[in-house]
Every structure is written in structure tokens, then in C-alpha cells.
């Protein structure tokens, strides 16, 4: 990440502080570097003129021994800077190394390092340094070692938490799966992401070291051979400067210099803390003082409306992401807000309680939560209402949970009760209320399944009994069964706790099945809104109609997907007229030049010049054609005849030991035998924790069977050395579920796609050529436009195509795709599936497609394997399995996809509000 990108992340007030801090540091640095030029006298040599007042010869006069005080001031800067910088470098490097080792190895290594950290942090810091300084000597080097020996512990603790978090990120796992060594993963994938936190810890350590060195010298325990600001103050104190006029030039200048250095460090440190945690600071609302806000339009029926948003716009860095959106959440009703990624729906959701990240600016004509006008609340006012009046269930539960705390402690923190015991008790009640089993209350986030983590963040959100709950993509990435369970839970809590619910999702049918009212967004604008039933049964806007057609259903067993062609436009490059015009089959006349405004059409509000349109005539040729062209059946006629096995599991059992004492072991796979021939395309479906991901990990050599055997590309993995396993792993490639986490956000597209080649030691020219070729094939053109972009600037669909390009350059014989489309909009799922099939065809590779999306499984695979609680319960050709399922679990998964009703493996009806199965 370049400096300019860091600068963009800082809010203006922080930039001012950072510049002021840098100027202060430059001032001290200048004094230290040019001390020989600035000072006319040696700082420790007497001029024979004690107690001289300031003059042209002695700018700050002399001390009681006749030494020049100006010289002491400028030379003193050297000592302070030297001690501060060297001690901070040592402390930060040692702390970072300890954090990396502890977080990477975990287990007993982590436990030992953390106990040492705890012990170091509990020691009385200053007293310890003073005692040790007295014992070991008073040289600066000794002091630096002592200070660093104590200061390393704090960065170690903070950084270790981040390492634990980052090592779970998809891009770290992806690098591991590509065969990258620990050193490369720790430096390229982990350390790089810690840079802002490392620098903020370094600056803080430097400030503490300067204070300690000055304090030690002031007490007369410093290096007697070095003149420092602390020693000047020591001599001033002993020379009774305070009783004479001499204090003005003897005490004040070193005091001011110390203050300038420490405040400068603090200002710069604050800027880096903000980079490490962008949530610090502002609330994003345009300050009320800038202009007079219009009064909210009186509501004709106020008691019926919980939230009333009128003409809300959100600007980011010159782009308007949300444009004059109107939205209402009625009391006792559920509002569904839908649209593809990039439509502005999540930004609208987080903007209401002022949580839009910097540098977002929100404008609105009215934002009334009950009778509270949110526009008029300052930062503190908004902080007060968050959690109590309005709460958010954020996207990606894992990213908001602290990996170093148990979920009980985290919920207790949210409960914000005065007494710790009361908060813990309340947290326990809340976790039970959301259906988390008692034995999981003291688990760490990584020990829970995706559904369980979602329950935890819901418990945190409802901890303070909010009146309005905004659930932002609460089911994305979960299997169909867990999706229904989470929505049932929200519905149940809504009734019991009496809050109103605003569901934000890209999954239109899923939201429509739960919402009373629907709002559809595109290009930052609301394009259709009204009662859910009316919107779904008779969509009036072409986008709504095409979005509905994009979703797979049971009909997809016999019918094809119809993804919305094209991509959501960049907010900075919106067309002048209707934003949907480039993708709309009905576009004509003024569509390209005039922005349509909402108007009533057959019971709903629609922003389309030509609504109502005949939706049956919609649909353009799109990726579905690619999908048909690259259908699995065309690819695998020879596959089934192939004799060579890509993956063979023979009576495999995988048992994960309980992570902590007293925890039962988890059986992930139980007697699984499976043969996947070279060139075959096989989908493995099942609920969360059914064992799907364990099969993927076995295929990548990332997990080993407890019993039974695994043969990968014709080689048994048992007993293979790490080097041989890494070499085998390079012939297998994984496409991960989360396109936002599986790519390192700070690496360029060229670096990401070329990483497998870099790991394999290929030259720069070969890498560049193959990367360009792969990007071309995946439709990321013109290639030059993408090569130097960071993953963080790409859309979800583009990221997944970059991941596929990386798979292509690696030329694997086996591709394992773990839910590659589940985090994407429906319209993108078919596109990604088409590209996946194209890559597989190009390489002639075997494909193992792990999914909970049964319709997509049918489109991608020839054969479907159904897993339930670690066992294979059905294995059959795709069409046969979906048209005449034999096992209750297969039927249950099909039912869940269609109606949200399931039975367990034995056919017994289960309660969706019950907890998910635990495990990995
Ligand atoms: S205004 Fe025109 S381009 Fe936009 S959705 Fe309606 S018909 Fe299509």
C-alpha cells in the first residue's frame, strides 16, 4: 500500500496532527544531526563563567559549572533520540517476533510466550529499570537493553491477537495451500498487514523510552559521561536553579524540548493508530453547523414508523455511493433491502447510525428514529443510541469477533453492565437465548461454526434491547439449512424482544420470504419499493425482474440460470441517465440521458421510464451461454472412463481433538470412502460441519486422516515428508469461499496471480507473460488496467476471477473449489461457475466442487456426493440424484433450498431454531 493510500485513510484533523507531529520530530532531529554546527561549545566543558545570563556568546547562558546550556540542549537531543529510537526498534522487533511465533504455532508455544508476556507486563516498570540500572551499570547501552527488555511485552500481546486473526484469513490459508513456506507466509501475508500497528507500537515505545531515559537521568542514575535533557534538569535541581532567575533558561528549555519530542511522537502515533483501526474518530455525518438542515417533513402517521430516511446520500472521496434514497421501517414490520454488491445497500444500512467509514459524508433531508433526529446527534449522541436504540448485525462475523477472547466475554462487554458478574450472567442468558449450546459459551470464535458465530454477533447486537436491528447480510456464506435457522432466530427474537428488523441481503428470494416490505437498490438509488408480495409476484422494474431470474431454484434442475449480464457500475462512472441502462434489455429513448424518478406503478414505487415492462421479454445473452457451452457433461465423457484416480479416500476417519481440556473430540469424517477419477467433476454437498471442508483439506494435504488412507494424484500422503507434500500440493489448487479474504488486500493483481509461480521459483518474465495470458482468459481486460490494482479495489466478482486466474497459472491437475460462489450475488454465481468450468476445461483438470447450493452443483458437476455428519449418504450422477433422491438428507437439502424446511439425517423433523451442529 503506497503512502498516498495511507494518507487517504486519515481524517483531516488527524492529518493536521500528523503533520504537526512530524514537524516537531524534524525539529528535534535537526538539532541532533546538526548539533556540531549549532553549538559553539562542547556541552560538558566549562567556560569558566558560571551562572551567565543568555548572551550572544551563550544563547541560553551557562550552568553552575560554567557549561554552555544551548550546547547541552542541542546535544541532549542526540541522547534522547538515540535511546528512544534504538530501544523502540529492539522492543518492537522482539515483540513482533514473539507475536509471530506465538500466533503462528499456537498451542504450548503460545501459552509459554504469553505467560512470559503477562509476567513482564505485571512488573513495576520504572522501579525495575531503576534497580537493574543500579545493578548493571549506568551506560546508555545498558539502559536501552533494560528499557527494551520491558517494553517488548505490550506490542507482543497486541500483535499476537492480530496474528491469530490474520492466520485465519483466506489469503493466508491460500498461500499455505499453494505450498508456500512458513517464512513467506509470515513475512508476505502476515507481517505486511501489521505495518500500521507495528509503527504505532514503535512510536509509543519510543515515547516511553524517552520519558524513562530522562527520568533516570533526572534522578542522577543516568550515564555520567553523557549530557542529556534529563541530566541538565538534574544539575539544575542540584544547582538550586529554581531559587534563582536561572531556572528560565536552565529548566524551561530542556522541559520544552522533552515536551516537543513526546507530543510529536504522540501525534504521529495517533495517525498510525487510526490507520490500524479506521473506526477511531468521526461519525461521518456532515457537521450540522455547515449548513442549516431542513426540518424533517412532518410524518402523517408517526406511531407507525420506526425509521424514516428521506433523500439520504453518502459520498466517498468524490463518488456518491448512495443517492437520495428514501426508506421506511414500519413498526412491527420487517424491511428487506436487496441489490447486488456495489448497489449501495450496506452503505445505506451503516450510514443510518453514522457508522460509515472515513472519509464518507452523509447527507439527508430526514433520518428519524422514532422521534430522534439522527442528523442532529453528534458523535457522542450517536454512540449513545448505538446498541440501545439501533443495533447492527455486521457482515462477516469472524472479522468483528476478537480471536483472543471467549465469546462469553465478548457478549459480556456488549452488555455493558456495571458489575462484571452481572454482565457475565447476562451474557450467558443471551447466548442461551440465541441458541448457542452451554458448552460453547466459553469457546473462542475460531472454535465455532459459521452459524454459531453468527448467533454470537446477534447476541451482541440484541444485548441492550435495541428498538431497530439492522442485519447486514446475516446469512451470506452459510449453508441453506443454517441460513433458514438464522432467519428463524431473528424472527423469533424480533417477536420476543419487540424490535423492528431491517434485513440487508443480495439474496432476493430469501429476503422476500421473510420481509413485509421490500426495497431494491441499484447504482446507489432505490429503483423499486413496496410490499414484498407485490414486488415479488409482479416486479415492475427490469432490474428486479432480472434479479429474480438470476436465482437458482429447484427449477434449475431442469432450467438454466439467467444471471444479470454485465457488472454493477463504479459509482464514479455512472451513466448520465438510468444507471441500469447498459444492462437493461428495455433501454431506449431517454433512458441514456434522463435519470428516472420513483413513481407509483401497480401498487409499488418504481424508478423506470418505461415501467411496467414485460419482464418475460427481458434477459440478454450472458454468461449462462458460457455455462451451457462449458457444461460438465461436455467435459467429462472421457472423465468417467478414466482409470487414474485424482483423489481416493479409503475408509477415512478424521477426528479433531477438543481444543481445550475437557472438550470432547470432534469427528469430522467417519469411515468415508470416495474415488474421484482424473478429469471428473464432482460436487460434494452437505450442511455446515458435515465434513465437506475436511475432504478439501485432505485433498490439499492440509489435514491428515486419523485412520484410513488418502491417495492424492496417485500418491499416498501417509509418511510423505513436508517437502514432498509441498511439491504435491503445488499440483493441486484451491479456490476459496470468500473473495474478500482469500486475496491479500495489499498485493497487486500481478503479484497475486503470479504467486504460485513465485513460490515455484519461476522468473519475472515468465511470470508476467503467464499472468497476462490468464487475466485475458478470465476476461479481466484490458490487462494493463488490472495488473497494478490492489485486491482491495476490486469487486467481489473480479476478485473471484483473479483467484481463478491464479488457479490457471498454477496449472494444477486437481482444482478444489470450496463454496467459490456462496459469498457472491446470485447474478455473479453463474458467471463464476462458467469461468471455473472454462478454467477446468483449459487445463483438463479434475474438479472437486464443494457447495451447499444444490442447483449450482447440478450445473457444475456430473456427480454429486452428499455428506451428512461425516458420512457419505448418497453418491450418484447429478441429474438422477436431484430428480430421484434416495436418502432423507438429500431430500432435506433440496427441501431447504426450496422451502426452508428440513429433516435430520434420519428423516426426523428438526427445529430450525435449534443450534447448528458444532464442529469445524
Ligand atoms: S429507465 Fe430505461 S434503462 Fe432504466 S430500467 Fe427503465 S427501461 Fe431500463
Amino acid at each position: 500500500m503506497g503512502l498516498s493510500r495511507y494518507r487517504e485513510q486519515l481524517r483531516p484533523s488527524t492529518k493536521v496532527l500528523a503533520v504537526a507531529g512530524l514537524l516537531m520530530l524534524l525539529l528535534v532531529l535537526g538539532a541532533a544531526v546538526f548539533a556540531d554546527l549549532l553549538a559553539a561549545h562542547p556541552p560538558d566543558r566549562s567556560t569558566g563563567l558560571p551562572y551567565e545570563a543568555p548572551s550572544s556568546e551563550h544563547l541560553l547562558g551557562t550552568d553552575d559549572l560554567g557549561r554552555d546550556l544551548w550546547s547541552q540542549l542541542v546535544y541532549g537531543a542526540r541522547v534522547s533520540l538515540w535511546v528512544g529510537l534504538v530501544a523502540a526498534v529492539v522492543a518492537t522487533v522482539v515483540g513482533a517476533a514473539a507475536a509471530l511465533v506465538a500466533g503462528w504455532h499456537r498451542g504450548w508455544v503460545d501459552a509459554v510466550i504469553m505467560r512470559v508476556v503477562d509476567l513482564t507486563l505485571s512488573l513495576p516498570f520504572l522501579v525495575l529499570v531503576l534497580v537493574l540500572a543500579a545493578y548493571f551499570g549506568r551506560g546508555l547501552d545498558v539502559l536501552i537493553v533494560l528499557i527494551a527488555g520491558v517494553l517488548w511485552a505490550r506490542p507482543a500481546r497486541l500483535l499476537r491477537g492480530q496474528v491469530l486473526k490474520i492466520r485465519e484469513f483466506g489469503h493466508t490459508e491460500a498461500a499455505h495451500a499453494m505450498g508456500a513456506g512458513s517464512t513467506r507466509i509470515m513475512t508476505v501475508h502476515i507481517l505486511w498487514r501489521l505495518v500500521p500497528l507495528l509503527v504505532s507500537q514503535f512510536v509509543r515505545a519510543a515515547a516511553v523510552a524517552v520519558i524513562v531515559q530522562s527520568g533516570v537521568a533526572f534522578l542522577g542514575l543516568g550515564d555520567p559521561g553523557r549530557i542529556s535533557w534529563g541530566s541538565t534538569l538534574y544539575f539544575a535541581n542540584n544547582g538550586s536553579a529554581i531559587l534563582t532567575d536561572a531556572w528560565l533558561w536552565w529548566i524551561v528549555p530542556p522541559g520544552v524540548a522533552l515536551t516537543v519530542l513526546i507530543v510529536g511522537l504522540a501525534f504521529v502515533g495517533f495517525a498510525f493508530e487510526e490507520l490500524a483501526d479506521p473506526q477511531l474518530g468521526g461519525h461521518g455525518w456532515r457537521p450540522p453547523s455547515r449548513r442549516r438542515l431542513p426540518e424533517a417533513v412532518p410524518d402523517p402517521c408517526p406511531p407507525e414508523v420506526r425509521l424514516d430516511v428521506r433523500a439520504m446520500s453518502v459520498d466517498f472521496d468524490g463518488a456518491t455511493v448512495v443517492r437520495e434514497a428514501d426508506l421506511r421501517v414500519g413498526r412491527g414490520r420487517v424491511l428487506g433491502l436487496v441489490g447486488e454488491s456495489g448497489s449501495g445497500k450496506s452503505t445505506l444500512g451503516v450510514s443510518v447510525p453514522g457508522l460509515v467509514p472515513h472519509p464518507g459524508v452523509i447527507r439527508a433531508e430526514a433520518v428519524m428514529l422514532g422521534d430522534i433526529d439522527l442528523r442532529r446527534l453528534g458523535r457522542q449522541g450517536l454512540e449513545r443510541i448505538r446498541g440501545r436504540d439501533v443495533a447492527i448485525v455486521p457482515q462477516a462475523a469472524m472479522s468483528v469477533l476478537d480471536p483472543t477472547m471467549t465469546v462469553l466475554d465478548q457478549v459480556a462487554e456488549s452488555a455493558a453492565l456495571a458489575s462484571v458478574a452481572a454482565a457475565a450472567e447476562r451474557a450467558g442468558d443471551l447466548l442461551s437465548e440465541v441458541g448457542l449450546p452451554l458448552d460453547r459459551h466459553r469457546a473462542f470464535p475460531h472454535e465455532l461454526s459459521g452459524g454459531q458465530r453468527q448467533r454470537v454477533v446477534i447476541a451482541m447486537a440484541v444485548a441492550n434491547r435495541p428498538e431497530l436491528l439492522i442485519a447486514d447480510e446475516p446469512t451470506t456464506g452459510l449453508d441453506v439449512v443454517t441460513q433458514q435457522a438464522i432467519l428463524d432466530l431473528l424472527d423469533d427474537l424480533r417477536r420476543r424482544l419487540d424490535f423492528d428488523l431491517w434485513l440487508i441481503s443480495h439474496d432476493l428470494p430469501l429476503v422476500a420470504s421473510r420481509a413485509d416490505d421490500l426495497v431494491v437498490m441499484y447504482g446507489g438509488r432505490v429503483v423499486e419499493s413496496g410490499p414484498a408480495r407485490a414486488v415479488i409476484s409482479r416486479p415492475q422494474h427490469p432490474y428486479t425482474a432480472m434479479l429474480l431470474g438470476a436465482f437458482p431454484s429447484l427449477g434449475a434442475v431442469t432450467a438454466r440460470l439467467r444471471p444479470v449480464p454485465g457488472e454493477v457500475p463504479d459509482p464514479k462512472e455512472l451513466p448520465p441517465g438510468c444507471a441500469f441502462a447498459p444492462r437493461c434489455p428495455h433501454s431506449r429513448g431517454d433512458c441514456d440521458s434522463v435519470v428516472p424518478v420513483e413513481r407509483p406503478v401497480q401498487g409499488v414505487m418504481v424508478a423506470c421510464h418505461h415501467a411496467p415492462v414485460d419482464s418475460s421479454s427481458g434477459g440478454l445473452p450472458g454468461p449462462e451461454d458460457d455455462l451451457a457451452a462449458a457444461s460438465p457433461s461436455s467435459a467429462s465423457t472421457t472423465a468417467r472412463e478414466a482409470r487414474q484416480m485424482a483423489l481416493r479416500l479409503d475408509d477415512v476417519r478424521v477426528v479433531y481433538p477438543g481444543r481445550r481440556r475437557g472438550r470432547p473430540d470432534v469427528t469430522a469424517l467417519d469411515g468415508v470412502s470416495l474415488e474421484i477419477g482424473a478429469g471428473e467433476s464432482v460436487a460434494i454437498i452437505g450442511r455446515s460441519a458435515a465434513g465437506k471442508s475436511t475432504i478439501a483439506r485432505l485433498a490439499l494435504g492440509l489435514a491428515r486422516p486419523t485412520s484410513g488412507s488418502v491417495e492424492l494424484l496417485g500418491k499416498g500422503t501417509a509418511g510423505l515428508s513436508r517437502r514432498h507434500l509441498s511439491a504435491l500440493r503445488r499440483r493441486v489448487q484451491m479456490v476459496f469461499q470468500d473473495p474478500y479474504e482469500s486475496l491479500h488486500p495489499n498485493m497487486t493483481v500481478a503479484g497475486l496471480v503470479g504467486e504460485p509461480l513465485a513460490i515455484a521459483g519461476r522468473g519475472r518474465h515468465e511470470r508476467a507473460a503467464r499472468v497476462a495470458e490468464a487475466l485475458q482468459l478470465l476476461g479481466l481486460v484490458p490487462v494493463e488496467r488490472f495488473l497494478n490494482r490492489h485486491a482491495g479495489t476490486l469487486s467481489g466478482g473480479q476478485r473471484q476471477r483473479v483467484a481463478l486466474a491464479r488457479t490457471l497459472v498454477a496449472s494444477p491437475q486437481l482444482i478444489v473449489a470450496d463454496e467459490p460462489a456462496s459469498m457472491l450475488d446470485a447474478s455473479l454465481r453463474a458467471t463464476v461457475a462458467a469461468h471455473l468450468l472454462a478454467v477446468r476445461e483449459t487445463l483438463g483438470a479434475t474438479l472437486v466442487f464443494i457447495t451447499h447450493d444444490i442447483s449450482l452443483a447440478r450445473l457444475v458437476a456430473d456427480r454429486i456426493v452428499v455428506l451428512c455428519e461425516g458420512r457419505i449418504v448418497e453418491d450418484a450422477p447429478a441429474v438422477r440424484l436431484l430428480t430421484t433422491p434416495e436418502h432423507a438428507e438429500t431430500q432435506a437439502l433440496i427441501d431447504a433450498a426450496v422451502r426452508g424446511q428440513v429433516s435430520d439425517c434420519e428423516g426426523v423433523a428438526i427445529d430450525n431454531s435449534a443450534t447448528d451442529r458444532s464442529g469445524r
Side-chain angles (χ1 to χ4, degrees), residues 783-794:
V783 169
E784 301 71 38
R785 229 184 102 199
F786 286 93
L787 281 175
N788 292 319
R789 284 178 68 180
H790 289 87
T793 67
L794 302 174

Side-chain angles (χ1 to χ4, degrees), residues 38-124:
L38 295 171
H41 306 278
D44 52 354
R45 188 155 320 148
S46 173
T47 59
L49 301 168
Y51 291 112
E52 275 287 295
S55 64
S56 57
E57 177 62 20
H58 302 288
L59 291 177
L60 293 176
T62 60
D63 66 6
D64 55 342
L65 298 176
R67 294 175 298 191
D68 183 65
L69 287 171
W70 169 250
S71 301
Q72 291 193 1
L73 187 72
V74 292
Y75 279 104
R78 284 188 176 178
V79 175
S80 291
L81 276 182
W82 176 253
V83 173
L85 296 183
V86 177
V89 166
V90 176
T92 312
V93 169
V94 173
L100 279 172
V101 172
W104 182 252
H105 289 286
R106 300 194 288 203
W108 69 266
V109 177
D110 182 34
V112 169
I113 292 176
M114 283 304 107
R115 290 304 75 77
V116 177
V117 166
D118 290 342
L119 185 69
T120 310
L121 287 173
S122 65
L123 296 172

Side-chain angles (χ1 to χ4, degrees), residues 527 540-543 577-588 590-592 594-596 606-611 613:
V527 295
Q540 303 297 332
H541 195 283
Y543 178 59
C578 173
F580 191 57
R583 304 171 77 184
C584 179
H586 306 282
S587 173
R588 60 187 185 275
D590 48 5
C591 292
D592 286 331
V594 182
V595 177
V606 187
C608 170
H609 295 310
H610 305 295
V613 292

Side-chain angles (χ1 to χ4, degrees), residues 677-850:
E680 252 196 299
S681 175
V682 176
I684 298 177
I685 66 170
R687 314 178 195 211
S688 296
K692 310 187 294 291
S693 294
T694 303
I695 290 185
R697 293 178 69 79
L698 287 171
L700 288 161
L702 292 174
R704 294 192 184 239
T706 310
S707 64
S709 65
V710 177
E711 209 178 284
L712 183 58
L713 300 172
K715 274 204 171 73
T717 58
L720 275 187
S721 67
R722 186 180 289 198
R723 192 164 62 86
H724 285 110
L725 202 56
S726 274
L728 194 58
R729 218 180 258 158
R730 284 179 206 146
R731 293 160 63 194
V732 183
Q733 276 293 304
M734 179 115 176
V735 182
F736 283 84
Q737 177 181 20
D738 188 344
Y740 294 91
E741 285 200 349
S742 61
L743 300 180
H744 194 309
N746 295 340
M747 282 174 79
T748 61
V749 168
L752 288 163
V753 177
E755 195 171 16
L757 299 174
I759 292 169
R762 300 296 168 81
R764 202 148 49 93
H765 293 300
E766 184 188 345
R767 287 209 305 262
R770 286 180 62 183
V771 166
E773 200 183 317
L775 292 179
Q776 188 88 33
L777 196 95
L778 268 297
L780 294 167
V781 286
V783 169
E784 301 71 38
R785 229 184 102 199
F786 286 93
L787 281 175
N788 292 319
R789 284 178 68 180
H790 289 87
T793 67
L794 302 174
S795 69
Q798 288 171 338
R799 285 177 190 221
Q800 213 56 316
R801 277 193 272 166
V802 167
L804 288 173
R806 182 162 69 179
T807 302
L808 193 64
V809 301
S811 302
Q813 290 167 264
L814 172 63
I815 302 170
V816 182
D818 187 4
E819 306 266 18
S822 67
M823 304 288 284
L824 300 177
D825 301 345
S827 60
L828 287 173
R829 286 181 198 160
T831 312
V832 167
H835 285 305
L836 182 62
L837 285 173
V839 167
R840 182 202 153 224
E841 286 237 327
T842 306
L843 299 171
T846 309
L847 176 65
V848 177
F849 187 76
I850 291 169

Side-chain angles (χ1 to χ4, degrees), residues 377-390:
L377 298 181
R379 185 188 303 174
Q380 287 180 342
L382 283 170
E383 277 168 8
R384 261 198 309 279
I385 64 136
R386 285 179 208 141
R388 282 195 304 119
D389 297 274
V390 54

Side-chain angles (χ1 to χ4, degrees), residues 51 62-64 69 218 232-254:
Y51 291 112
T62 60
D63 66 6
D64 55 342
L69 287 171
F218 177 69
T232 304
L233 293 170
Y234 165 74
F235 289 120
N237 188 42
N238 283 0
S240 304
I242 205 78
L243 302 176
T244 68
D245 284 346
W247 69 270
L248 203 56
W249 53 84
W250 200 351
I251 293 178
V252 172

